[in-house]
Each structure stands twice: as C-alpha cells, then as structure tokens.
Amino acid sequence: MTTASVSASGTSKARVGVQRFGTYLSGMIMPNIPALIAWGIFTAFFIPKGFTPNADLVTIVGPFIHYLLPLLIAYTGGSIVYGIRGGVVASIGTMGAIAGSDLLIAQINADLPADNQLGQVHMFIGAMIMAPIAAYSMKWLDSLWEGKIKAGFEMLVNMFSAGIWGFVMAVVGFYPIAWLVNGLMQILSNAVNWLVQMNLLPLTSILIEPAKVFFLNNAINHGVLTPLGLQQVAEDGKSILFLLEANPGPGVGLLLAFTFFGIGAARASAPGAALIQFVGGIHEVYFPYALMKPTLILALIAGGMTGVTTNMLLSGALAGPAAPGSIIAVTAQAINPSAGGVPNLMVVYLSVLLSAAVTFLVAMVILRASRKRDLEAMAATDDAFGAAITQTEAAKGKSSDALSGLRGGAATGADGGIEPATMTEREIKNIVFACDAGMGSSAMGASVLRNKIKKAGIEDVTVVNKAIAALDASADLVITQNQLTDRARQKTPGSVHVSVDNFMNSPRYDEVVDLVRAQHQDGA
C-alpha cells in the first residue's frame, strides 16, 4: 500500500524538539486533569472559606495536592515511557522527592522566624523530572538481562529488580531531585514575583500568544505555569498564571473580527469557530486564521497583554487550571471561593471581555487595511484558507476535529491512497486510530469510522483510539495523521498503516470500509 507523508516544510528541528517535549509534558498532565478538578471541588466546598465548610472533609485537600497529584503525574509519565513497570518505579522515586523536599523545608524553617517560614513545595516539577529518569533507567536495566533469566525465575527477578531500582530512585529523589526542584521553584517564584512587582507580567503574552499559534505552548504551560500556579494556589488560594494561556478572549476577538471584516471561507466559518473556541475551549480553531495573515499575531499579543494587565491590576485569578480553556472552565475556577468568589469572577470576566475587544479592534484595522489585496488574492486562488489550516495541522503535528470542521470537507488532498491488493494481504479485524495523546481527535475519528462500519453491516471489526506510544502488534490497521505515520509505523511495522490529513472528513474512511467489506464478502 502507499501512504502520503506531508513534511512540515519550514519547521525547524528546534521547534519540533520543543513540540515533542511539550507533548510529553502534556501527556503527563492532561490525563490527570480530572484529579485536579476533583481537588478543586474539595477546595471550593470544604475549606473554611468554601461554599460548605467542613472540618473533616477539608483534611483531604492537603494530602490530595501534596501526595496524590504528584504521584499520579509520576505514574502517568513513567507509564508513557515503560508501561506499568515504568509508572510504578517513577512513583516510588517521586515519593522520595516529596519526603526529601519536606525534610529540606523543615530544616530551613528551623532557622527562620515563625512569621517568615516557607510553605511546602509540591513536587509537580519533581514528578515530571523523576518520571522519565526512573522509567528509562528501568527499561535500560531490564534490557541487560532480557533473555538471560532461567525459566521459572522471571517473576522473582522482575519483582526484585523493580523494587530495588525503585529504592535507588527514591534515594535519588530524596536528595538531588528534591534539592534541585526546591531551588528551581524558588527561582521561578522569585521571577514571577519580580514580574508582578515591576508590572511586567503582561510581557509574557509576547511569548505565549505566538507560541500558541505554532503549538509551542505546551512546554511553557504544562512545564512551568501549571505546577507553579498550583504552588501559588496552595499558598494563596489562587493564581493569575492559570489565565496567561487559557484566556479565551484573544481567540474569540480574532474570530469575531473575521466574522465582520473577513472575506470568503474564513468569514463564513468564523462564527461557528468562535462558538467552538469560546464555549468548547478548543483554541486551535483560531490558529489557521492567524496563520493566514501573520500580522494578526500582533492583535493576539495586544489582547493577551490587556487581559493579563486587567487581572494583575484588579487581582483576578483562578483557583486551578482551566482545562480546556473555555469560558465554562474559567467560570468554574474563578467563582471558587478560594479564588475570591463572585467579585473575582467579575474581574476575570472583565479581563476576557477587554482582551477580546482589544484583539477585535487591532485585527479589524489589519483586516480592513489589507481587504483589497485579500480580495485580489482570493480571486487568484480559493484555497488560501485551506492552506492555512494545513499549515496549522503541520505545525501541531496532528490533525484536529475542530480544524477539520473548518474545512467543510473540501480539502483532503494530503491523504494517502489505499492499494486494496496490498492491504488485503492481512485480514483487518482490529482498527486503531492513533495520535500523540490517544484522546480528542483520534477518539472522534474512531467514532466516525465505527459508525460507517456499523452502517455497512460489518459486526466483527473493532475500532478503538490509542496513543502512538501504546500501539502494539494487535493492531491490524492503524490510521494516523500524515505527520505521525512514520512514528506509528516504527511501533507496529507489521500493521497496515493509513495516513489521513484530518480525522473528521477523510475519503480514506470509505476506502477502509470498502476494503473490510470486500474481505468479508471474500470470506463468505
């Protein structure tokens, strides 16, 4: 068979490296967002300033953030690298880092006055450091005696080797990792405090807004802002850092500008995209609009700086990360009593409104100034918007349901064709949609194909979605976005691989259904 692989032309190796790093960080954080939400509910209701204070249930809040959340992050990160075994060893090592940090803080506080003592440092960054170290080292150690263990002793060696190495990782976590993370958190905290004191925090938008458009924000957001913000929440009950990237104002402001002053397909699709971005929290839908005219990034920066300035001056903040970055998630975290309740919510709403308004106004000026030139360009080609969407997907490294919806099913030229003669060499019973995280786009794509197969009357074929890292030989056919096909093929070289340019509207789905139907007819 053949698959088309569209290279991300112009994408530097450095940017790709940062994207992969950000993907790994988000892979550790995103699956544990439900735990963060659960913790936020506990704080909203049961702390002394909560909706329903409860002296018994509030005792869950501290251990939840200090132990459970870092250990969940460590287990997730370790399992990404080396399955359950890597997750267990990473968790053991992170427990050592937690204990080491607590001892270090206690020793420092012994020499400080009572009114100037340090609070606990929560090991979120420690977990993200320990997870890959522990998992990769365990994987390497296992490779040393792989195939050399006498029959009957496999379980004994596997259990004791993981236990002993977990002990070693806990000691490593207790000393160097705990000291490193405490020092790093102190530096980062001082840097943020300095930015706030000098009224320079809005300048972060100069980095964050362009980073979002080019999918470089995960390393910043999940690697620094979320763990540092959670540390601030533990001390102050809220953090402005959660609003630096998640504010939906700049995105909806840009899309509204296209709604009123755009042209062609971009104008027609902007209202629906604005609803998805603002309510659904899928910010990626506005990235193609910015890529159509890169000067619009200036409008996003202006809007982002406006929102940060508003929150900084009026003390607007969130009690936890808003994930996804929708107005609904922002509302839930802003109205939390620990963040300030209704007054804080009004400040946050104001920051969203002002950031949207400023982005709208700046984008309006840019769009109107280039309107004549854009109309002439549209007359020359009707695929400028589709090219911008393709550029966005190439920058991200994977397709998106929301972005696919913007196409309206028009452009699928990047898909790789299927050669039935080759594909029928393997009976297709287990179809897997794979992407970086195994959620979102791949889940929607699996649902679409599952419905097509069901309508075709085919019953003994399973369609599931997984992360590429979780692929195994059981997959008969693997469907991936064209930027990820090579990575998927390395994981399962014996599977049939199909490339698509998006997970929502690909003609490859019908080809796969035809192939499976033909196999069933041949078998019958």
Side-chain angles (χ1 to χ4, degrees):
M1 66 165 290
T2 61
T3 58
S5 179
V6 181
S7 64
S9 59
T11 302
S12 67
K13 292 183 179 179
R15 190 177 75 180
V16 171
V18 174
Q19 288 175 344
R20 289 178 178 174
F21 177 63
T23 297
Y24 180 69
L25 293 178
S26 63
M28 284 191 278
I29 298 292
M30 289 301 292
N32 295 305
I33 290 296
L36 289 169
I37 294 174
W39 175 75
I41 295 173
F42 271 104
T43 61
F45 282 93
F46 303 132
I47 63 173
K49 295 182 180 180
F51 293 118
T52 57
N54 188 299
D56 295 329
L57 290 174
V58 74
T59 59
I60 298 177
V61 173
F64 205 115
I65 190 174
H66 192 60
Y67 296 105
L68 179 60
L69 293 177
L71 291 175
L72 283 175
I73 291 171
Y75 182 84
T76 304
S79 63
I80 291 174
V81 174
Y82 196 36
I84 294 177
R85 191 170 175 83
V88 170
V89 175
S91 300
I92 297 171
T94 300
M95 191 65 212
I98 294 172
S101 174
D102 289 346
L103 177 62
L104 181 60
I105 294 297
Q107 292 173 343
I108 294 174
N109 285 339
D111 300 324
L112 296 176
D115 59 348
N116 195 33
Q117 293 193 345
L118 302 177
Q120 288 180 317
V121 173
H122 305 303
M123 284 289 108
F124 298 104
I125 290 181
M128 287 188 278
I129 293 174
M130 177 57 71
I133 293 175
Y136 275 115
S137 59
M138 187 73 255
K139 185 176 182 179
W140 174 75
L141 285 173
D142 283 347
S143 68
L144 296 180
W145 49 72
E146 184 177 4
K148 301 176 182 178
I149 304 172
K150 291 186 177 181
F153 290 88
E154 294 87 354
M155 181 178 292
L156 181 68
V157 173
N158 288 337
M159 293 299 181
F160 271 85
S161 61
I164 293 171
W165 193 245
F167 161 78
V168 173
M169 288 291 97
V171 174
V172 171
F174 192 92
Y175 288 109
I177 298 298
W179 293 352
L180 171 65
V181 173
N182 274 273
L184 182 60
M185 291 298 291
Q186 189 64 43
I187 292 173
L188 293 175
S189 297
N190 291 339
V192 171
N193 291 335
W194 180 80
L195 288 173
V196 173
Q197 292 171 3
M198 300 298 294
N199 296 322
L200 296 177
L201 195 60
L203 295 181
T204 58
S205 296
I206 297 175
L207 296 176
I208 292 174
E209 295 303 330
K212 289 178 68 175
V213 173
F214 292 104
F215 300 94
L216 301 176
N217 59 316
N218 279 338
I220 298 173
N221 192 29
H222 296 303
V224 178
L225 296 182
T226 296
L228 192 57
L230 288 170
Q231 184 68 34
Q232 291 185 347
V233 168
E235 299 172 358
D236 305 322
K238 62 181 181 179
S239 175
I240 191 177
L241 300 182
F242 296 131
L243 284 166
L244 298 187
E245 188 271 340
N247 183 355
V252 76
L254 179 69
L255 293 169
L256 289 176
F258 270 95
T259 299
F260 293 101
F261 304 104
I263 60 174
R267 179 175 184 175
S269 59
L275 180 65
I276 293 173
Q277 189 268 346
F278 192 66
V279 179
I282 304 178
H283 288 205
E284 65 186 6
V285 298
Y286 76 77
F287 299 168
Y289 297 84
L291 288 172
M292 286 181 64
K293 193 178 297 294
T295 52
L296 289 171
I297 294 177
L298 296 175
L300 295 172
I301 292 174
M305 294 178 68
T306 301
V308 176
T309 301
T310 303
N311 286 315
M312 185 179 68
L313 295 178
L314 301 179
S315 300
L318 302 183
S326 73
I327 192 62
I328 296 174
V330 169
T331 300
Q333 296 292 2
I335 202 171
N336 189 315
S338 63
V342 175
N344 177 71
L345 178 63
M346 294 300 101
V347 172
V348 172
Y349 277 174
L350 180 63
S351 72
V352 173
L353 177 62
L354 292 178
S355 62
V358 170
T359 301
F360 175 85
L361 293 173
V362 177
M364 175 190 70
V365 172
I366 295 173
L367 291 174
R368 288 179 64 86
S370 60
R371 184 176 181 83
K372 181 178 180 180
R373 184 168 61 254
D374 292 340
L375 287 171
E376 294 174 350
M378 188 176 68
T381 174
D382 59 357
D383 197 31
F385 187 52
I389 295 175
T390 301
Q391 182 182 355
T392 300
E393 291 176 331
K396 184 175 182 181
K398 61 180 179 182
S399 289
S400 160
D401 305 336
L403 293 179
S404 302
L406 299 179
R407 293 180 185 273
T412 54
D415 288 1
I418 300 177
E419 296 179 6
T422 301
M423 290 186 63
T424 50
E425 295 175 0
R426 176 166 181 165
E427 185 178 6
I428 308 301
K429 288 189 175 182
N430 185 19
I431 300 174
V432 178
F433 280 74
C435 65
D436 277 334
M439 298 181 288
S441 299
S442 60
M444 184 61 71
S447 178
V448 171
L449 182 58
R450 193 180 297 117
N451 290 335
K452 287 180 175 289
I453 288 179
K454 183 178 180 180
K455 290 179 180 179
I458 303 170
E459 298 180 352
D460 59 344
V461 173
T462 61
V463 182
V464 298
N465 53 286
K466 291 183 178 181
I468 290 180
L471 288 174
D472 55 45
S474 65
D476 299 314
L477 186 147
V478 178
I479 301 177
T480 51
Q481 198 270 343
N482 46 42
Q483 298 293 321
L484 304 175
T485 302
D486 289 340
R487 288 172 55 191
R489 189 181 290 114
Q490 292 174 0
K491 289 289 294 184
T492 57
S495 303
V496 175
H497 289 268
V498 176
S499 296
V500 298
D501 73 333
N502 67 79
F503 278 141
M504 279 298 292
N505 285 317
S506 174
R508 302 291 81 78
Y509 295 165
D510 292 329
E511 295 180 21
V512 170
V513 172
D514 291 341
L515 166 70
V516 176
R517 183 190 292 113
Q519 286 187 341
H520 278 243
Q521 291 173 349
D522 292 342

